[in-house]
Every structure is written in structure tokens, then in C-alpha cells.
Amino acid sequence: MIENNMSYEGFKEYFWEQLKNTLSEGIELQEQNCLKNNDLQVEMLTCKEEGKNLTPRIRTREFYDLYCQQGMKTAVEVAIEILGDRRKVDVHKVIEPWEVMKSGVNVEVINYEWNQERLKKEKMVYEKILDLAIVFTVNLREDKDFKMTITSGLLEQWKITKDELISVAYENFAKADYAIISYEDVMEQLLGLRIESELCVLLNRSKPRGASGMLRIDLLQDLADKKESDLLILPSSVNEVLLLAEEDNILDMDSVKKMVEDINRDYVDEEERLSDNIYTYKRKTGKISIWNSEEMKCE
């Protein structure tokens, strides 16, 4: 019996053998290092089968965590179930013409400096703003739960310009289901506890990767007007940001920035981090800026 205390390297070897022994003949297991958000190299497993061109991939590290919690038998069973969804698809039905797919174009934000390799290697279409890169994704028609990042190659395939893409993306972005919710309500929904706080959470109610909501000036302005104050924007993760009226900030700004850095380092998964900077939204100008500690003002 294999105990749940194997090292990660030992697990990978044994897990690989178990999958090979369980999968049907003619299926080839492949190990890949995939570039993810913040230029992280992530170990993945997939399987290649003759005649199939769409195969799910699994993250080896996540299955090591599953093994540690529930044992090797569960880890292998779950992996086999996921990897079993191999399909032959018509590429033209996945990536259809621009007029068909443009309604599924979305906006996301990632850290510009932390994603230099990924932006270049994948030839991602992006705009730089502050210390962030605005990137664009599109929902795949084959499966609404899947999306892909838009690259320069995809623009060529669609025969559109970057400006055309950006125009449509922001039209969709303005209609997307972003919302500002009180931190108290979020904690009550998640934990069943009512925790008093002046913080608000800005997120996309229907999708992850909702930190791009910090670019929704209409929502920021509404909150700033209600609070009669400029706002601090705290990057919680790529999924959401926290908002606080400057008038409600009981800490000095250097302390707030250190808090963001500490939370990123200690509590946020590296792939989910957005920025170590804090931002301000000026009610009078409608502008977002990075707070500069040396000048005691926004850049």
C-alpha cells in the first residue's frame, strides 16, 4: 500500500506509471511545462490519441495535493476521468469567423512586468496601462466554459486590426456583469459571518478574472460619489480588487502598501497575483493612478 507521504518527485513517477497502466493502448502520455500567468512554468500532463485533437490537460501539482488529501487511488481515478474527455473537433467550428465570435470577446488585466515572457512568447494582443497589461480573450463556441487569449495570429485569421478588436472588447466590457459588493456581504456569503468593514469588493458576478473591473470608471465614480471621497484600489488578485474610500482609511498609505505586499506573498497563490502596487481613483478627474510613496502623491 502506498502511503500519502510520498515526495512530489516520487509521486510523479508512481502517478505516471498508474496512469499508463490504466489508460487504453494507443494512448501516449505527455508531460509539458506550460507558461501561465505571472510567467510561471506549470507542469502538466496530457495524453495523445490518434484521430483526437482536443485533449484536456491536468496540473500535476494539483493532483499531488489531491493524493496527499485523499490517496493515490482517488488521484488516479479523477485524472483518468478528466483525461478521458478526448475529442475530434473541427477547428473551424472552435474558432469561427470574427462576426460570429466577437460577442464573446472579453477584457482581462495581468501584471505587465511579471508577464514579459508570456506576452512575447504567446504574441498576445495587449495594451499597457499603469503597471498592468490589458489582454483580450474570447469564449470558444465549442464549449462556453473555455476561452482563449487573443494573439496577433488570431487577428490575422479574423482579418481584423488591433483597433477593431479593442473597440469591440470595450463595448462588451461596458455591458459585462461587474458589480461592487460590500465586504460584509461577501464574508457573510462565504463564511456565514457578518464582519464589519468599510471595504468593498469589485468583481465580475458571472466569471472569474474580474479584477479588470477596476477599469470600469462608471462603477468607480458611482461609489466615489456615494462616499464623497477619492478611492483606494487594492489589488486582491486577478479575480477581484478591494475598494476603500480614502476618507475611511485609518492607516497611512505606506502601511496599506505593505499590507498588500504581505498578503500577496503570504496568502495569494503566485499565479493569481495582480500587483504589489496600490492605486487611487480621483473623483474629480475620473483618473486611476499608481500611488507613489516617495512623492506622497499619484504618478
Side-chain angles (χ1 to χ4, degrees), residues 110-213:
I110 59 177
N111 189 282
Y112 176 74
E113 292 297 335
W114 299 347
N115 283 280
Q116 285 295 292
E117 183 181 356
R118 185 172 170 232
L119 288 169
K120 294 174 184 176
K121 185 175 181 179
E122 297 183 12
K123 298 181 179 179
M124 298 167 67
V125 181
Y126 71 91
E127 283 192 306
K128 186 175 183 300
I129 178 172
L130 305 174
D131 63 334
L132 307 174
I134 303 171
V135 298
F136 306 93
T137 64
V138 61
N139 296 331
L140 299 182
R141 303 282 292 183
E142 180 72 16
D143 190 325
K144 294 292 187 181
D145 291 332
F146 287 100
K147 64 183 178 182
M148 67 182 298
T149 304
I150 296 175
T151 63
S152 57
L154 198 48
L155 292 188
E156 292 175 7
Q157 182 173 333
W158 280 332
K159 295 182 174 58
I160 64 168
T161 65
K162 178 180 176 180
D163 287 343
E164 288 178 279
L165 169 69
I166 291 172
S167 176
V168 168
Y170 280 112
E171 284 180 14
N172 294 343
F173 180 58
K175 303 171 188 172
D177 193 20
Y178 290 90
I180 296 176
I181 303 170
S182 74
Y183 188 78
E184 295 174 347
D185 288 344
V186 171
M187 288 297 99
E188 188 167 26
Q189 291 172 18
L190 291 177
L191 305 176
L193 300 175
R194 194 71 181 175
I195 301 173
E196 291 188 13
S197 174
E198 298 296 337
L199 285 168
C200 294
V201 183
L202 200 169
L203 43 67
N204 189 321
R205 284 188 287 206
S206 59
K207 296 180 181 181
R209 300 280 174 150
S212 49

Side-chain angles (χ1 to χ4, degrees), residues 101-113:
M101 298 196 74
K102 67 181 185 180
S103 63
V105 170
N106 302 299
V107 169
E108 293 184 5
V109 288
I110 59 177
N111 189 282
Y112 176 74
E113 292 297 335

